[in-house]
Amino acid sequence: MNSKRLPKRSVVGISVCAAPGSVCTGSLQAGTSDTHGKAIAAGVFEIIQACKNDPSTGSSFYALMLDEGTLKKCPTEESVMNRADLKTTVHGKHSHAGLEKIPFYYKSEEGVPELEQKSTLVPNGRKLEDRVHVDDKRSAGRLEDTKKDPLPQSPAPVHEQIRLQMSSYIPVPKHRRPLGHVDMEVMAATVLTTLSTSPLVLSPPSGTPGADPCSRGWKEALSASYSSSTSGNWSWDASDQSVPSPPSPPLPVDTNKSFLLSSQSDDNIEESVTTHFLFEDPIPRKRKNSMKVMFKCLWKNCEKVLSTSSGIQKHVRTVHLGRNSDSDYSDGEEDFYYSEIEVNMDSLSEGLSSLTPTSPTTTAPTPSCPLRDPPDSEPALIRPWGGKTLTPLSQSAPSTLCHIRTDHAYQATVPVSIPVSSKFVPSENGISISWQSPPVIFKGSPGSLTQIRTVSIGEKRQPLQHTTVPKTHAALPSAPKPATGTRKPRGEAKKCRKVYGMEKRDMWCTACRWKKACQRFID
DNA sequence: GTTGCCGGGTT
DNA sequence: AACCCGGCAAC
């Protein structure tokens, strides 16, 4: 993928696995073609609504729903595994590593399918791409064996074959209109609810070896997807070394989102909730604690943050993608250009509360990274703390936070008060926040956040070395500033006035000369 | 009273 | 943005 803008995606697959006795759902969607453009099961779309293990029989049940609305029940995982139209495998005896990330199949704009496998956990030492190919070949071969039809050209035969292969299925009226994704999710929720009431679910057995890794894998997959969707840096998990350099803006693809991406609906919040419900994601509970999910535009130099995904989608679609603002049509491409972030609303409100006329920081300009040296009015004075050189990287990244430790930097506040420098603008799409900081995940209690300032010890100060702000630095939404309206306590360090005296006022730092907070002897 | 510095004004 | 200063609050 060399292009910065990823091709449109049409299909996303998500693996599904379940702990013994547990329930999980996900979508498993057969693509229209494999990585070589070979058509397999074109048009077949199905979702594994749920699966659970039956320890008494050792088998698993899979509830499958085909795109025409047929709900099927597969008594064994093999019956799922052997499905010719499945591009990916559900957990099985041969994938005991448990965690599999299913490749994301993107359909490029040229119509040439591409495999965008971003993250691969190799269960059996095999690359997942290889695995997919093998599976595809195996599937194709099975088709050939059974039907003597080398390449099924239409979905209909495949469907028929699926029906033949299924040991049982739950019939659904065929004349039913094709399900929308929301309907599918509702149905999935229904299935989930049904299954979750099973005693097997309520008292999961302690471990069938074959299924246990699945549970772990599922949890890990969830965890990985969540972390990747909220970490703010768009690196994949540690096992993922095959990620190409991310496009600009980075690609926020995670499992959950991939699940959602199959939908063209604008109402992704509801979907998200549904998804969380379906996945029994602990995230909502976590977020109850004043954590609000915001959606941040990842477009370069765009810091737009909206409270709703539809809003950010519309923003991306209209502002960056140049789509018609009237049209709600979404091909999902916008999803690449925004990410989900968590905002600690407590911190935010705290920051907002400081946006009062009495706030001493409201006029704080956005931290910037001036490359130039400040005009040095004191050539004889050694100032190791001033005039540091910034790397080109820090220049090119406007959102990169930089410490400014020049004598003129008194106006540049320490970049910690993100909410303070935020603009909180209500909009029709929800709350819009614009800030000049990188995507930040606010985690942990605000009380644990401390304002980081360069510590000076007397006049022997080390050159500023942590130009690149540590990650923890960015996670300082609301440095516990003194209560709004109160002054910053007077520092302990001597200031230029005391050090140099009035007679050497020209040796003072500029801030001191201007009766600003001393920048040379920072507390 | 001294000192630090915020807020605001001027250039 | 750089510069300046009134005024406030902590010492």
Side-chain angles (χ1 to χ4, degrees), chain A residues 20 60 97 119 207 273 280 312 328 376 434:
Chain A
S60 301
S119 175
V273 170
E280 296 186 2
I312 199 68
D328 278 339
D376 195 346
S434 298

Side-chain angles (χ1 to χ4, degrees), chain A residues 244-505:
Chain A
S245 57
S248 175
L251 172 65
V253 174
D254 61 68
T255 314
N256 282 353
K257 188 137 317 183
S258 302
F259 182 73
L260 296 176
L261 282 176
S262 61
S263 170
Q264 307 267 329
S265 168
D266 264 348
D267 194 4
N268 275 359
I269 283 192
E270 181 179 336
E271 290 181 6
S272 179
V273 170
T274 306
T275 306
H276 290 152
F277 165 70
L278 290 175
F279 285 31
E280 296 186 2
D281 198 333
I283 295 170
R285 264 171 283 153
K286 184 179 178 182
R287 286 172 180 166
K288 281 179 182 176
N289 189 12
S290 71
M291 297 297 279
K292 178 167 177 57
V293 179
M294 307 293 284
F295 298 89
K296 182 177 189 302
C297 179
L298 296 174
W299 200 272
K300 192 173 184 181
N301 295 332
C302 181
E303 306 290 337
K304 189 81 171 178
V305 176
L306 294 174
S307 62
T308 63
S309 61
S310 59
I312 199 68
Q313 281 182 350
K314 185 172 290 186
H315 162 78
V316 171
R317 193 163 58 240
T318 59
V319 176
H320 300 311
L321 297 181
R323 304 279 163 78
N324 188 358
S325 60
D326 298 329
S327 170
D328 278 339
Y329 171 75
S330 163
D331 56 6
E333 190 173 5
E334 312 90 70
D335 295 310
F336 288 114
Y337 301 106
Y338 72 87
S339 69
E340 182 180 311
I341 64 174
E342 284 188 2
V343 177
N344 189 332
M345 296 309 286
D346 286 346
S347 304
L348 200 58
S349 59
E350 179 183 340
L352 288 174
S353 67
S354 66
L355 282 176
T356 59
T358 59
S359 170
T361 58
T362 50
T363 59
T366 300
S368 59
C369 302
L371 190 62
R372 48 157 177 74
D373 278 348
D376 195 346
S377 59
E378 306 152 24
L381 184 63
I382 300 174
R383 305 188 331 187
W385 51 84
K388 66 179 172 57
T389 305
L390 299 176
T391 64
L393 182 62
S394 61
Q395 316 171 43
S396 61
S399 60
T400 301
L401 298 177
C402 299
H403 279 290
I404 299 176
R405 283 294 168 262
T406 68
D407 282 348
H408 295 270
Y410 78 97
Q411 291 173 323
T413 55
V414 180
V416 293
S417 304
I418 292 165
V420 173
S421 60
S422 302
K423 283 179 281 186
F424 213 81
V425 180
S427 69
E428 58 179 355
N429 291 326
I431 300 170
S432 171
I433 300 177
S434 298
W435 59 41
Q436 306 290 322
S437 62
V440 172
I441 306 304
F442 302 138
K443 290 185 175 177
S445 63
S448 65
L449 307 175
T450 55
Q451 185 169 4
I452 297 178
R453 303 188 71 177
T454 306
V455 178
S456 67
I457 303 175
E459 297 188 44
K460 299 290 183 181
R461 289 152 51 102
Q462 298 295 323
L464 198 62
Q465 293 186 349
H466 43 281
T467 303
T468 54
V469 181
K471 283 182 180 179
T472 55
H473 195 164
L476 304 173
S478 63
K481 295 171 66 67
T484 303
T486 62
R487 281 191 160 213
K488 175 176 135 184
R490 181 175 293 186
E492 299 292 325
K494 289 182 177 180
K495 306 298 179 183
C496 295
R497 188 190 194 107
K498 273 196 172 179
V499 171
Y500 301 111
M502 288 295 291
E503 64 278 8
K504 293 182 181 178
R505 195 166 186 265

